Amino acid sequence: MALLEYENEIFLDCFHEDGLLIMAKGLGIERIFGAFLKLYCDEGSLVLVLNVSQNEEEFFLDSLKSSNVDPLPRVINSNCGTNERHDMYLEGGVLFITARILVVDMLVERIPIHLISGILVYRAHKVIDSCQEAFILRLYREKNKTGFIKAFSDHPHCFTSGFCQVERVMKSLFVRKLYLWPRFHASVIAFYEKHKIDVVELHLQMTDLMTSCQTALVDLIDACVKELKRSNAVLESEEISVEYALTRNFERAVRLQLDPVWHQLSSKTKQLVADLKTLTTILEYLTQYDCVNFYGLVNALKTNEKTFGSNAGWLFMESAENLFLHAKERLSAAEEPSKKKTRTTGMADGSRATVGADLITGMEECPKWSALKEVMEEIEADCRSSDQEFQSVRILIIAHDDRTCSQIKSYLCEGGQPLLKRLYEQNLAVKSASLQQQTSSATTEKKKLRNKKKANIPSSSPAEQTLTQMVADKDPAKAVAASDDAVVPPDVSPFEFVDRFKSAYRVNELPLTFLHPIRDTDDPTSLTRILYELKPRFVVLYDAEMAFVRQLEVFKACNPLQPIRIYFLMYTGSTEEQKYLTTLRKEKEAFEYLIKQKAVMVIPEEREGRMENDPELERNTAPANATVNTRKGGAELGISTVPQKIIVDLREFRSELPSLIHKRGIDIEPLTLEVGDYILTKDICVERKSVSDLIGSLNNGRLFSQSQAMCRTYKRPVLLIEFDANKPFTLQDKYPISKEMNNSDTVSRLVLLTIHFPRLRIIWCQSPFVTAELFQELKIGRDQPDTNDALAASGADLEKNIGRYNPGPYDLLLKMPGITSKNAFAIANHIENIAELSRLSPERLTELLGNSISANQLYDFLHKELQDQPSTSAVGQVVKQKPGRMPLKRLEKKR
């Protein structure tokens, strides 16, 4: 895997000095990262790789294997035991490891931190101050001052949000250098000027009806955006605009600004946010799918009573009426069969095609369909004229998603009008009968799709044909059979084309053709994989994607002898074109902003953490409420030197709270706890719950069992309800609460929980930062937790033993001196009631408790006479006498 000229320059810069590399998307950051993996694949060094997903691990391993790298990197996950991980650390090499496992191994010193050669951080834009990766790097720099840290990212726009975001990320990464490589970098431009690629741009015109629908939708989006900005002055005007509303991240940007005050917003504002998402989805359907599916979605909004009654008012605008009218006109001829007409031309520019009177004609076809058909015919003609063997020619068609790929296959197989007719008969013709028939039809379609997914395609089925072969096939039966799965309702998850490419489309007689989606794929490396494995002669970009266009440039530069031609299809003057241009402009503006930030950025010399007593690595050991005294006069303050410690459950290392606790100067001891999540002191046990986890635990009863175990084991059990700092400080789930679960039910269940467990304390924290500060305050002046006691507490044993005793006498026993939750069972198993306990001798108590001190405390408490006799009352008599007479063990019925 030889690097290109500008890639060599990038590699050398990052190799000589640690830093953060930010590249333009699609420019080949995975190649730079793979080159570093290849460099450090040596048993003489130990290099850890963070923030890499499972699919990316497989991609890098396959790439290194094809380059004959030995030894290959190894993967450490939950399947590896502790001893196995320790051995792998000592053997060295490159290790892919999850952050949760590595931070635990660092805390328990299972990994020799001083022997680590360096750490590679992928997707560095996700590293924030409180995340696990930043925690790992801080632990690493505390004990290793010589190892390297190199970070990589191809998301420049993620570093532009917030105040000094790029500087804060570099601080968390402990790096001083920032390497910026946009597409307009001088070295990149000069290189690709020498390696130009053959591109055929096809600028298509939308039909008049499509243009009218687009104009109406843009007017509706503009009206909703203006009303949203008028109702909420807190929204930033730059990001909330019609141009940004066309992008995929618009809803996320709006929710990011409104989430902290979401519970204070009016119902109209919430509905506007939902309506904007609906309108952008309709706009995407206009350019992406056929007229039948587009009309089905638009008509559903008009006929649905819930949508019609809850909209923010845009349904009653003139633009909405125009939208419904033009959407219906696109397939109006389906309801009135036209007379016989002669075949006309001009399908490429979007005019209506006409065929014989035996078929329903006139439904508007997508202009891209006919253009794609012409491209396929041109490719086939070009192959025949150049005497190329079809077996050596490979074609790759890139579309937006799986549903678009399905429609492309169906169109090339059946033709435009037969496909639209079948879609109309299967969807709209049945749905127009009645609402009940509509529901029944949708259910039947879903069942058919599920059965098709489960069915295996035989080797001789027409689905194995290539697209060119399907166009040439004139058998209607085969055409329908090959496109059975063409109709995919929007609420059904798309079937995976990626896993069926080789079995569905590979033949030897005609050019091998692949369809691949851009979106809706679990593997972000799938496009790169298929490009380098297939090595296509022709690539058809049915839908534009900025990153993949650049990947094609890199592919051509890496394979200069490989001929390749790119067909670029795009609607002129459409929102599709606007989306593509907006994506390019946003990336360019992001790099320009980062270049300016780099010019004025002030970075201290000790940023890398290599100095002894580095201030960046200092942990705040002072209490949270400590007052800073500036008049010390050189005198030593009497600060306690007792090391603070908190025992943390291993499952809690998925959250950011352990990192924040450690940063406050409190040592963390990871253990597998049966009771509680955090043990602060010998008496304080904390069970942490997020809002969604709290509601789920209240529903299934798990919180009751956890509270019962904490109350039986510790003197001060605490339930911590932790909110997200970016979410409203209210008791609601991650998503809007349905009618079956509302706030009153959740609160009432919490009230019942506190009534049942009076000693249980509930703490509300607005964010993990507040929680860490609160933990530090709760530990002031209290003893440190004991590891053996925390391990001895078993929830299973408690539940088994608790059911054997009456709660009243057992609670009274726990309150006596010398009795703890650990030795209470030893006493309760050998006595019948409290009265019998008072008759035991000191020797017998010592034998049962296993400790003479505890036995003497209990004996003195039971037999020492009080000097001042308290006045008795009815309530006092009940308290004194009833527990003693009541049997401690519950009576079991005789069978």
Side-chain angles (χ1 to χ4, degrees), residues 405-425:
C405 293
S406 176
Q407 286 198 350
I408 292 173
K409 186 190 77 170
S410 301
Y411 168 76
L412 294 174
C413 173
E414 302 178 52
Q417 291 300 322
L419 170 61
L420 293 175
K421 175 186 175 182
R422 181 169 60 83
L423 291 175
Y424 178 83
E425 292 175 350

Side-chain angles (χ1 to χ4, degrees), residues 840-852:
L840 295 179
S841 63
E843 292 77 11
R844 178 58 175 166
L845 290 175
T846 303
E847 180 183 352
L848 294 177
L849 296 177
N851 188 346
S852 60

Side-chain angles (χ1 to χ4, degrees), residues 269-518:
T269 300
K270 297 179 181 179
Q271 187 61 44
L272 281 171
V273 176
D275 289 347
L276 280 172
K277 181 180 180 181
T278 302
L279 291 172
T280 52
T281 302
I282 298 174
L283 191 58
E284 183 179 333
Y285 267 57
L286 176 64
T287 57
Q288 205 62 49
Y289 306 122
D290 57 89
C291 62
V292 178
N293 281 298
F294 176 74
Y295 176 74
L297 179 60
V298 173
N299 187 55
L301 296 176
K302 187 176 182 180
T303 57
N304 188 290
E305 295 182 3
K306 182 179 179 181
T307 305
F308 189 82
S310 62
N311 81 96
W314 61 270
L315 273 176
F316 307 105
M317 296 177 60
E318 183 180 357
S319 298
E321 190 64 30
N322 294 334
L323 173 64
F324 298 139
L325 179 63
H326 296 316
K328 190 173 183 179
E329 287 180 357
R330 295 183 66 193
L331 70 159
S332 59
E335 299 176 357
E336 299 179 3
S338 61
K339 298 180 181 180
K340 184 174 181 180
K341 299 179 181 179
T342 58
R343 181 177 295 274
T344 60
T345 59
M347 290 181 63
D349 61 356
S351 61
R352 299 184 181 183
T354 58
V355 293
D358 55 332
L359 293 176
I360 296 177
T361 61
M363 281 189 285
E364 188 176 70
E365 297 183 12
C366 297
K368 279 189 178 182
W369 287 2
S370 54
L372 176 63
K373 184 177 180 180
E374 293 177 359
V375 168
M376 298 297 294
E377 293 173 351
E378 179 182 334
I379 291 174
E380 187 171 348
D382 184 68
C383 293
R384 295 185 185 279
S385 61
S386 59
D387 297 331
Q388 296 186 27
E389 295 183 1
F390 280 178
Q391 295 180 357
S392 61
V393 176
R394 300 178 179 181
I395 305 171
L396 178 62
I397 302 177
I398 302 298
H400 181 266
D401 54 12
D402 288 325
R403 190 175 185 185
T404 307
C405 293
S406 176
Q407 286 198 350
I408 292 173
K409 186 190 77 170
S410 301
Y411 168 76
L412 294 174
C413 173
E414 302 178 52
Q417 291 300 322
L419 170 61
L420 293 175
K421 175 186 175 182
R422 181 169 60 83
L423 291 175
Y424 178 83
E425 292 175 350
Q426 292 181 354
N427 293 330
L428 300 182
V430 178
K431 292 179 180 180
S432 61
S434 65
L435 183 61
Q436 295 179 354
Q437 293 179 358
Q438 177 186 5
T439 306
S440 176
S441 175
T443 306
T444 305
E445 288 295 331
K446 291 180 182 180
K447 291 182 179 179
K448 288 182 179 180
L449 285 170
R450 285 195 291 265
N451 293 334
K452 287 166 190 170
K453 290 180 185 180
K454 296 178 181 178
N456 294 326
I457 301 177
S459 59
S460 59
S461 66
E464 286 190 351
Q465 299 174 341
T466 60
L467 296 179
T468 310
Q469 186 175 354
M470 286 189 284
V471 173
D473 196 348
K474 303 299 181 181
D475 190 351
K478 291 183 179 181
V480 175
S483 59
D484 279 341
D485 50 2
V487 182
V488 183
D491 56 339
V492 178
S493 59
F495 49 88
E496 297 182 1
F497 273 87
V498 179
D499 296 335
R500 296 170 52 183
F501 273 139
K502 297 181 180 180
S503 61
Y505 298 108
R506 183 188 297 274
V507 291
N508 296 326
E509 293 79 13
L510 293 172
L512 181 63
T513 307
F514 275 88
L515 276 164
H516 197 287
I518 300 173

Side-chain angles (χ1 to χ4, degrees), residues 666-684:
I666 303 175
D667 294 333
I668 292 177
E669 184 173 355
L671 292 176
T672 303
L673 299 178
E674 294 283 343
V675 180
D677 294 328
Y678 296 86
I679 310 299
L680 305 186
T681 66
K682 291 183 177 180
D683 299 331
I684 301 178

